[in-house]
Amino acid sequence: MMKSNASNTILTGLLGINLVLSAVFCFRAVTVTRDSRRLGREVRMIQLEQARFQSLAAECLAYRDKNPQIAPLLESFGMPKAAPAGTANPAAK
Amino acid sequence: MNEFETKPIPVFAEDSQQSVTALQGQVTTLLLATVVLSGILTAYLYVQQRFAIQDRESNKQMVGQFMQVYKQQQKPFMDNVVERLREYGRKDANFLPVLSKYGYGLPTATGAPPPSPPAKTVAPQPAPATAPKK
């Protein structure tokens, strides 16, 4: 009877320790996963910004065909110069 | 009569003692099973959180480098380009829709200036109106 009570107490204590450890590990996993998602969100935001900027650059190059006055400004950014003909090369791009 | 009254008690006591012992055995078995299962769950959660920490650390380095390059090199360049394109947009009004299409519209030339002058003209009017009231 006493032996059974002692073993039950030990097992209950082990169960309690397991539960506490499970809660700690679970909390840490959730926290770390949330942190990883936040990093991923920041990267996605930057990629979105880069894609938006690239679209603007492409639109500027298209605008240059209509209005060549912007060409020197675009070339100062390192964008490719417009071909002298100006008709066949942009289509090839 | 005394014999009849005293005889059932030991039988009942022995029977209940056996059932209590059996119940204690079952409780012990169940507790043991629960401890084993919760131990497996704890080990699984430990491994999961280790993997999550490793993932985060590896991602943190890559993301850190990526963000550092973006903030130190790309962002200033992009801001410079956008600012100069905005300056060009102030001279060439036909270019403003291109800037506005991607959210880089002029803060002063797209929507703000038309509303702001009326606001400025409206604002002084109440001021004189309140001044005489005082």
Side-chain angles (χ1 to χ4, degrees), chain B residues 73-99:
Chain B
Q73 296 173 10
Q74 293 179 352
K75 187 86 168 81
F77 173 74
M78 287 163 64
D79 289 343
N80 179 37
V81 169
V82 168
E83 192 51 43
R84 289 175 68 181
L85 286 175
R86 277 177 177 157
E87 283 173 13
Y88 177 79
R90 288 192 183 96
K91 297 176 200 165
D92 183 4
N94 292 329
F95 186 64
L96 287 179
V98 176
L99 284 173

Side-chain angles (χ1 to χ4, degrees), chain A residues 8 18 22 50 52 63 67, chain B residues 28 38 42 74 92 102 104:
Chain A
N8 280 356
N18 275 340
S22 292
Q50 288 173 336
R52 195 166 63 128
Y63 183 81
N67 190 350
Chain B
T28 306
S38 70
T42 305
Q74 293 179 352
D92 183 4
Y102 295 101
Y104 296 115

Side-chain angles (χ1 to χ4, degrees), chain B residues 39-88:
Chain B
I40 291 169
L41 178 69
T42 305
Y44 171 76
L45 287 173
Y46 174 75
V47 170
Q48 285 298 313
Q49 63 108 20
R50 288 303 308 165
F51 283 153
I53 288 172
Q54 282 175 2
D55 278 353
R56 185 189 61 175
E57 292 307 315
S58 61
N59 285 339
K60 212 172 186 176
Q61 288 178 352
M62 286 193 302
V63 170
Q65 288 174 356
F66 175 71
M67 288 181 74
Q68 195 175 0
V69 168
Y70 174 75
K71 282 180 182 170
Q72 289 181 353
Q73 296 173 10
Q74 293 179 352
K75 187 86 168 81
F77 173 74
M78 287 163 64
D79 289 343
N80 179 37
V81 169
V82 168
E83 192 51 43
R84 289 175 68 181
L85 286 175
R86 277 177 177 157
E87 283 173 13
Y88 177 79

Side-chain angles (χ1 to χ4, degrees), chain A residues 1 4-5 7-12 14-15 17-19 21-26 28-29 31-33 35-36 38-40 42-43 45-47 49-50 52-53 55-56 59-60 63 67-70 72-74 76-79, chain B residues 17 20 24-25 27-29 31-32 34-36 38-43 45-46 48-50 52-56 59-60 63 66-67 70 74-75 77-82 84-85 88 92-95 98-99 101-104:
Chain A
M1 189 81 168
S4 177
N5 272 341
S7 64
N8 280 356
T9 307
I10 291 168
L11 286 174
T12 308
L14 281 175
L15 189 60
I17 290 168
N18 275 340
L19 286 176
L21 283 176
S22 292
V24 169
F25 293 151
C26 196
R28 283 179 68 178
T31 309
V32 170
T33 305
D35 212 20
S36 296
R38 184 183 55 78
L39 287 175
E42 286 177 7
V43 169
M45 291 290 288
I46 290 174
Q47 285 172 341
E49 181 72 20
Q50 288 173 336
R52 195 166 63 128
F53 184 76
S55 301
L56 173 68
E59 193 92 7
C60 287
Y63 183 81
N67 190 350
Q69 285 180 342
I70 199 174
L73 180 64
L74 297 182
S76 71
F77 300 144
M79 289 188 183
Chain B
Q17 184 66 34
V20 165
Q24 277 181 342
V27 166
T28 306
T29 308
L31 263 174
L32 193 63
T34 312
V35 166
V36 169
S38 70
I40 291 169
L41 178 69
T42 305
L45 287 173
Y46 174 75
Q48 285 298 313
Q49 63 108 20
R50 288 303 308 165
I53 288 172
Q54 282 175 2
D55 278 353
R56 185 189 61 175
N59 285 339
K60 212 172 186 176
V63 170
F66 175 71
M67 288 181 74
Y70 174 75
Q74 293 179 352
K75 187 86 168 81
F77 173 74
M78 287 163 64
D79 289 343
N80 179 37
V81 169
V82 168
R84 289 175 68 181
L85 286 175
Y88 177 79
D92 183 4
N94 292 329
F95 186 64
V98 176
L99 284 173
K101 184 179 175 183
Y102 295 101
Y104 296 115

